[in-house]
Amino acid sequence: MRYKDENKSERIFNASIQLINEHGLSETSMSKIAKKAGVSASTIYVYFENKEDMLNKLYLNIKKEMSLEVFYDYDDSMPLKTAFEHALGKYIDFVLTHKDEFLFLEQFSNSPLLDKLSRNEGLEYFEPLIKLFEKGKSQNVFKQVDTSLLHMFMFNPVMQYIKEYFGGRLELRQESLNEIVQMTWDALKA
């Protein structure tokens, strides 16, 4: 049994993100990842069963990191709108400061390599939001629709705006971000 070095695991994750963002999922092989990470190809298999396992663990690692930042100082006793604005604002901050991780998540989330268990576990990291939506629905503040629709709609407008910014198609403006947060709140309200 070989000893697992967390620094190597981190280097493998970072190399994977960079290569996948530059070349895509299908063009990124384990040997390319190993070379970029400065480890032997066989070393990767000490940490991961295969490429799919590695990508799913990377996905969960980023989702966990994101949730820790989104829910930092989050208190479910906050008024609904304050809690909503807090979570969405922290999400925006995370995405803007973790561009590479965000771009990886965007690509991998739409891949058949993302397994159902990882997708569900990734959602569990955002349980406080699910509770927020359920609470808001019970108080007739949010639309009486499936909670997953509220969750999707909360993030998609800001994700699209940030993708346009990252793509160089628009200028990032705090005023626009504030407007998106308000528009999203208005759209989710009953």
Side-chain angles (χ1 to χ4, degrees), residues 14-33:
N14 289 336
S16 299
I17 290 169
Q18 290 173 9
L19 288 168
I20 289 166
N21 286 344
E22 289 172 19
H23 305 289
L25 283 165
S26 62
E27 296 298 316
T28 302
S29 66
M30 294 297 261
S31 61
K32 287 179 183 176
I33 292 168

Side-chain angles (χ1 to χ4, degrees), residues 77-107:
S77 67
M78 294 175 181
L80 287 173
K81 186 172 184 187
T82 303
F84 174 88
E85 290 171 341
H86 175 88
L88 191 51
K90 292 283 192 172
Y91 172 79
I92 291 168
D93 292 344
F94 179 87
V95 170
L96 289 174
T97 58
H98 296 83
K99 176 183 178 181
D100 292 337
E101 289 87 345
F102 170 73
L103 294 175
F104 166 79
L105 286 177
E106 278 297 286
Q107 191 170 168

Side-chain angles (χ1 to χ4, degrees), residues 60-185:
L60 289 172
N61 184 283
I62 295 170
K63 284 290 197 172
K64 182 177 182 180
E65 183 182 344
M66 179 188 288
S67 73
L68 290 172
E69 288 197 31
V70 167
F71 299 114
Y72 180 77
D73 283 342
Y74 180 86
D75 180 355
D76 60 7
S77 67
M78 294 175 181
L80 287 173
K81 186 172 184 187
T82 303
F84 174 88
E85 290 171 341
H86 175 88
L88 191 51
K90 292 283 192 172
Y91 172 79
I92 291 168
D93 292 344
F94 179 87
V95 170
L96 289 174
T97 58
H98 296 83
K99 176 183 178 181
D100 292 337
E101 289 87 345
F102 170 73
L103 294 175
F104 166 79
L105 286 177
E106 278 297 286
Q107 191 170 168
F108 189 63
S109 293
N110 296 303
S111 162
L113 295 173
L114 175 59
D115 66 40
K116 188 176 182 177
L117 290 174
S118 294
R119 185 180 303 279
N120 290 338
E121 188 175 334
L123 282 173
E124 287 175 17
Y125 290 129
F126 289 82
E127 186 65 28
L129 269 184
I130 304 305
K131 290 179 180 176
L132 175 78
F133 290 134
E134 292 298 329
K135 180 179 174 183
K137 284 170 42 177
S138 72
Q139 295 176 4
N140 292 316
V141 173
F142 291 131
K143 288 182 172 49
Q144 300 299 312
V145 298
D146 187 288
T147 302
S148 64
L149 294 176
L150 296 172
H151 186 266
M152 280 187 267
F153 197 83
M154 177 179 180
F155 293 106
N156 284 339
V158 78
M159 284 172 31
Q160 187 60 41
Y161 179 85
I162 292 173
K163 284 192 287 188
E164 293 292 317
Y165 164 67
F166 285 157
R169 294 177 291 278
L170 59 78
E171 182 181 328
L172 182 70
R173 295 179 43 231
Q174 186 60 50
E175 178 183 317
S176 295
L177 290 170
N178 294 343
E179 289 170 348
I180 291 171
V181 171
Q182 184 60 51
M183 290 168 60
T184 302
W185 171 259

